[in-house]
Amino acid sequence: MAEARTFQLSMSPHFGSPQSTRRVMYDVVIALLPALAGAVWLFGFGGALLPVLLSVAAAVAAEFVCLRLMGRSTSAALDGSAIVTGILLAYNVPPGVPWWLPVLGSVFAIVVGKQAFGGLGSNLVNPALLGRAFLMASFPVLMTAGWSAPFEWRNPSAGFGTSGIPAAQVSALPEADAVTGATPLRAWKDSFGIDEHEGAAVRENLSTPGTYMNLLTGRRGGCIGETSIVLLLLGALYLFVRKVLEWRIPLAYLGAVALFGWILGGPGFLEGDALFSVLTGGAVLGGFFMATDMVTSPVTRRGRIIFGIGAGLITIIIRRWGGYPEGCSYSILLMNLATPLIDRFTRPRMLGEVRKHA
Amino acid sequence: MTRLRTFPGGAHPDECKELAEKRAVKRIPAPETVRVALCQHLGAPSTPVVKKGDKVTRGQEIGSQNGFISLPTHSPVNGTVAGLEEAPLPHRRSGPVVVISTESEGGGPAFEPWPDFESRTPAELIERIKLAGVCGMGGASFPTYVKLSPPPGKKIDTLLLNGAECEPYLTADHRLMIERTEDVAAGMRILARALCVDDPAVGIEDNKPDAIEAFGKAGIRVEVLRVKYPQGAEKQLIKAVTGREVPVGGLPLDIGVVVQNVGTAAAVAQAVRDGEPSLRRIVTVSGGGVREPGNFDAATGTPFSALIAEAGGYGDDVARLLSGGPMMGLAQFTDAVPVTKGTSGIVALTSKEARRLTEGPCIKCAKCVDACPMKLVPCLIAANSENEKWAAADELGALNCMACGTCSFVCPSDRFLVHYIKRAQDMIRASKRSKEA
């Protein structure tokens, strides 16, 4: 008989799916690319592409330096997660901001938001959103004023004809500033501070099919990556097909934004515009690409729904009563902090478990 | 189209059945030396009743039953006892083994055959199943007669035969079902009679249409199951077919159900109808690491290396050798270990087939949570285990993990989730024992 052969021991299972973390991260990168193309179309190479590239480069460099300093394998800098953070950070700054702003934000996101907590998987909040919050707190003027209008880069004399900004708002802006202006959400929010009839007229103007169409296609003021709704949905569809995205968080979040936008988002109770709430600001980008950040969102199924609804409610509250017109990123950051607690209290019913009802 | 029955959760590994599913079972003679383990079943090893130099005949008892959860062990050959020793085994580090030099394999039945088993009482049938040393052939090797002897007050109303065979690569049950349908059917009738159950059923995944057809023709109720891992796990099979859930910490008999593997049924038929103890079993030898995968009917005590040789020998690349399938099988240090009653397959995986052994950080993607067939939260139990927070792991239901491996399979970071959870189980059980003491 043949000599007995010996083999390596290991723990079961000995079989694995081809899915890998790296593949998940690069799938997210791929899913974000259509919106980048849209951003370049709307805001130009200098306004959109350059900030994104610089932001990604800064994020990867920061990750590399941190890993090197901590004596860890630096190959993890290219696992895709830093690239995702870099893209998302850039998508959350206004087009045309100084180049150093997204770079600074990315470095902060990686160093403070991610590596300080222990790197991939250990961070409490979405690093890109923390980076954005840092920029908002430190450079509020750069981050909220001077929104480039779509197509302004191709035709500097073009006005707001296609941007979805109501005429009343446009005409109120000084001539020299005609290439920049308010976002639809700013216009909407400001409508509550002016004469009652005028405000109602502004909101009426914002709730037209023409405006909705412009909002869907991204022809409005907004952050680099948040305006091209259709292209963001295309990316999300890709993630669904690749089974990277699960429907609960996006559905709960956007559903809550629509519902609470209708209930709380108008001058009176139940007078808000649900569709407008979903299509404006960063709701779609946030709902599909930031609230769904795996590391910082709940792992339980019920937890994901609670998370989405909570973030949607906070978004609307901030939009209506907060200091900024946009509440998406803060709402997700706040819910990120609640994630461990949500997970703890939403353990699923085990197979065969009979729950005692108090 | 029949409705496919299934359970919530689970995963869908590559089936890899095509390597061996068309290969008819080949009966191979016992090798020159068999090494028969005295602990082929779950529970206490049987007590040796032979000594070196003794002549033994095929079917003779060489180990006697040792307690309630134990079985007698029989010699698979006629020959001479060459010694009793402690040797490595596929399912535990080592155990007592009777080494027998084979002379022949012939001879009549060890017990009186009962072709008229319908006229026997349930007690007689159960006693025979015990004396024949029949244990579960699906992998866990629990003594079959214990499952047929529910404590008083527990009424069994459902008997399910498990023909799911959801582990990738394994095709032994599949071949058994189509080649020896009659044996399985007879075993099923015996088990039903022993339990006083009407209308037993067999559950088969729908990737085995020929087996489903064969049982249909034999007049057996077939429940067609969706191909999904771990469809063949007892609790999942029961959930899929009956909709009932085995209570946490309980057994199938608590909800009136007994599950038996189809291989066990065939062994029961041989024991009762033919008077033949449990001496042989069908073993699938497969994986990219063997040259000619197939299914073999081998005597217990046959070394894995002999079966590998029957399967054309090893290929150029063998990263791991497993007893059982790739999801729950046990990695073997050596191919000198012998086939036992519970050896459903021998799988040699190439380095490309085998799961990676480097893990990354948990990104909390929740794939394990969505896939866990017990509806646990594997990533959180594992995190608590890594931080040695045993009480927290216990609170999350760590003890309910059956180590099916679905969570580790789907994990994109290749984390050793099963390993962490099993460690937590050990620590929780130890602390509970020390509290009781």
Side-chain angles (χ1 to χ4, degrees):
Chain A
M1 189 179 294
E3 188 77 3
R5 255 177 79 163
T6 57
F7 303 90
Q8 181 184 30
L9 289 179
S10 66
M11 185 78 190
S12 68
H14 311 280
F15 218 37
S17 69
Q19 187 80 268
S20 73
T21 299
R22 184 178 283 256
R23 210 179 94 176
V24 167
M25 294 298 170
Y26 281 102
D27 269 344
V28 176
V29 171
I30 291 168
L32 284 166
L33 290 181
L36 180 60
V40 172
W41 175 63
L42 292 165
F43 304 116
F45 291 95
L49 187 62
L50 191 65
V52 172
L53 290 179
L54 287 174
S55 176
V56 168
V60 172
E63 181 109 330
F64 181 87
V65 170
C66 285
L67 292 168
R68 169 60 65 82
L69 288 176
M70 292 189 293
R72 295 192 184 176
S73 161
T74 50
S75 63
L78 286 176
D79 65 9
S81 62
I83 299 175
V84 170
T85 299
I87 295 176
L88 286 177
L89 188 281
Y91 276 19
N92 277 288
V93 298
V97 290
W99 64 269
W100 53 266
L101 201 75
V103 168
L104 186 65
S106 263
V107 171
F108 186 88
I110 293 293
V111 176
V112 180
K114 184 178 174 191
Q115 292 297 341
F117 285 92
L120 179 64
S122 301
N123 46 303
L124 283 178
V125 298
N126 187 323
L129 288 178
L130 192 72
R132 178 180 198 249
F134 163 71
L135 294 180
M136 283 290 267
S138 310
F139 310 96
V141 176
L142 287 174
M143 286 292 286
T144 55
W147 298 93
S148 303
F151 307 123
E152 169 251 310
W153 65 288
R154 283 198 292 204
N155 183 4
S157 62
F160 282 95
T162 55
S163 67
I165 308 293
Q169 293 290 303
V170 176
S171 57
L173 293 160
E175 265 311 301
D177 263 348
V179 292
T180 62
T183 66
L185 263 183
R186 167 58 72 186
W188 174 82
K189 189 174 181 66
D190 288 350
S191 76
F192 291 98
I194 55 178
D195 172 80
E196 200 180 307
H197 290 290
E198 211 174 304
V202 167
R203 289 194 295 277
E204 182 104 346
N205 201 355
L206 286 170
S207 295
T208 64
T211 312
Y212 292 148
M213 192 46 71
N214 279 342
L215 289 173
L216 267 174
T217 53
R219 300 202 284 188
R220 51 107 161 167
C223 291
I224 289 175
E226 73 183 16
T227 70
S228 314
I229 307 288
V230 174
L231 296 172
L232 286 169
L233 291 176
L234 186 71
L237 183 69
Y238 171 78
L239 290 184
F240 272 118
V241 171
R242 298 282 286 173
K243 295 191 169 118
V244 170
L245 206 57
E246 200 258 358
W247 58 268
R248 283 181 176 81
I249 289 175
L251 202 72
Y253 177 71
L254 293 174
V257 165
L259 181 70
F260 295 118
W262 170 62
I263 296 175
L264 304 171
F269 199 58
L270 302 184
E271 287 178 4
D273 182 340
L275 190 57
F276 180 78
S277 302
V278 170
L279 295 177
T280 47
V284 169
L285 175 66
F288 284 100
F289 293 96
M290 299 202 286
T292 54
D293 171 32
M294 295 164 172
V295 175
T296 56
S297 61
V299 295
T300 66
R301 294 181 192 207
R302 278 189 301 151
R304 285 172 237 165
I305 290 177
I306 293 168
F307 179 90
I309 293 173
L313 176 61
I314 297 172
T315 297
I316 295 299
I317 290 173
I318 294 177
R319 280 186 184 179
R320 182 69 178 81
W321 293 286
Y324 298 112
E326 164 64 301
C328 176
S329 38
Y330 286 108
S331 73
I332 296 171
L333 278 174
L334 289 171
M335 291 308 289
N336 283 165
L337 294 172
T339 290
L341 202 66
I342 294 173
D343 272 335
R344 189 178 168 143
F345 289 109
T346 56
R347 175 174 74 73
R349 187 189 70 86
M350 294 182 281
L351 191 74
E353 181 181 21
V354 183
R355 280 261 162 94
K356 289 185 198 82
H357 291 282
Chain B
M1 183 69 205
T2 340
R3 190 171 67 94
L4 294 181
R5 294 181 179 272
T6 193
F7 63 96
H12 195 152
D14 279 346
E15 292 163 40
C16 304
K17 305 267 195 192
E18 68 285 351
L19 292 176
E21 69 185 341
K22 298 272 188 275
R23 302 305 202 91
V25 175
K26 182 184 171 197
R27 187 184 168 100
I28 59 168
E32 279 170 34
T33 308
V34 289
R35 306 166 79 80
V36 186
L38 290 170
C39 45
Q40 300 188 40
H41 50 269
L42 202 71
S46 39
T47 313
V49 292
V50 291
K51 57 183 189 302
K52 190 175 175 181
D54 284 0
K55 283 276 182 197
V56 292
T57 57
R58 185 174 180 279
Q60 180 186 330
E61 196 169 296
I62 54 175
S64 66
Q65 188 184 356
N66 179 17
F68 178 61
I69 303 193
S70 181
L71 286 172
T73 306
H74 305 85
S75 169
V77 295
N78 304 307
T80 311
V81 177
L84 278 78
E85 59 186 47
E86 190 83 4
L89 293 173
H91 52 292
R92 47 194 287 175
R93 193 178 301 161
S94 69
V97 167
V98 179
V99 186
I100 303 169
S101 302
T102 306
E103 280 151 25
S104 68
E105 278 192 89
F111 305 102
E112 178 198 347
W114 290 345
D116 59 335
F117 55 80
E118 302 286 358
S119 65
R120 302 283 161 178
T121 65
E124 283 179 302
L125 297 174
I126 293 166
E127 182 67 9
R128 167 62 65 84
I129 290 165
K130 177 175 84 177
L131 290 178
V134 179
C135 64
M137 312 275 277
S141 303
F142 192 75
T144 300
Y145 89 93
V146 181
K147 270 190 176 181
L148 299 177
S149 319
K154 301 275 185 195
K155 175 79 186 98
I156 303 299
D157 59 29
T158 303
L159 169 66
L160 288 179
L161 284 204
N162 187 351
E165 198 164 50
C166 58
E167 273 272 6
Y169 294 100
L170 302 192
T171 56
D173 286 351
H174 185 184
R175 293 310 307 178
L176 173 87
M177 289 189 282
I178 58 175
E179 292 182 36
R180 289 169 53 192
T181 316
E182 257 321 298
D183 285 356
V184 179
M188 184 179 202
R189 288 199 296 275
I190 295 166
L191 289 165
R193 180 163 174 78
L195 289 163
C196 305
V197 169
D198 304 319
D199 193 29
V202 59
I204 306 175
E205 284 189 338
D206 78 331
N207 58 355
K208 306 171 186 71
D210 44 0
I212 292 165
E213 200 194 323
F215 281 126
K217 273 186 193 155
I220 289 173
R221 178 156 72 94
V222 179
E223 298 287 357
V224 182
L225 309 166
R226 171 163 297 153
V227 179
K228 190 162 77 172
Y229 183 86
Q231 187 67 76
E234 201 165 63
K235 290 177 182 180
Q236 277 59 40
L237 182 71
I238 293 169
K239 173 79 179 169
V241 174
T242 69
R244 300 183 210 172
E245 291 184 13
V246 178
V248 164
L251 293 168
L253 59 85
D254 293 328
I255 51 167
V257 184
V258 166
V259 176
Q260 298 282 2
N261 175 265
V262 287
T264 314
V268 163
Q270 287 189 312
V272 174
R273 184 192 60 192
D274 309 334
E276 170 112 338
S278 179
L279 306 177
R280 303 183 70 92
R281 69 154 299 137
I282 301 175
V283 181
T284 301
V285 183
S286 191
V290 293
R291 295 192 192 279
E292 295 159 34
N295 302 287
F296 303 96
D297 180 352
T300 56
T302 306
F304 279 22
S305 54
L307 281 159
I308 295 283
E310 286 288 339
Y314 293 110
D316 299 326
D317 171 23
V318 184
R320 260 168 271 176
L321 183 72
L322 313 175
S323 170
M327 297 298 286
M328 285 191 81
L330 298 168
Q332 300 299 312
F333 161 69
T334 166
D335 60 8
V337 291
V339 168
T340 67
K341 294 171 195 173
T343 309
S344 50
I346 300 171
V347 177
L349 294 178
T350 62
S351 40
K352 209 175 156 211
E353 290 171 300
R355 187 167 173 270
R356 288 183 293 269
L357 285 176
T358 46
E359 57 173 356
C362 172
I363 56 167
K364 304 183 182 79
C365 66
K367 284 189 185 298
C368 57
V369 183
D370 290 342
C372 178
M374 295 304 292
K375 295 200 209 141
L376 304 172
V377 191
C379 54
L380 295 185
I381 300 177
N384 280 308
S385 175
E386 277 191 282
N387 293 322
E388 309 204 341
K389 291 182 175 166
W390 313 119
D394 189 18
E395 224 169 90
L396 286 164
L399 290 179
N400 288 296
C401 171
M402 55 177 172
C404 69
T406 306
C407 54
S408 300
F409 172 82
V410 298
C411 179
S413 285
D414 296 307
R415 297 184 56 71
F416 310 144
L417 295 166
V418 177
H419 170 83
Y420 297 128
I421 297 171
K422 275 190 157 178
R423 173 141 194 262
Q425 289 183 334
D426 288 347
M427 300 306 287
I428 294 165
R429 288 198 185 110
S431 103
K432 286 192 172 161
R433 271 198 302 273
S434 68
K435 262 179 211 149
E436 277 161 20

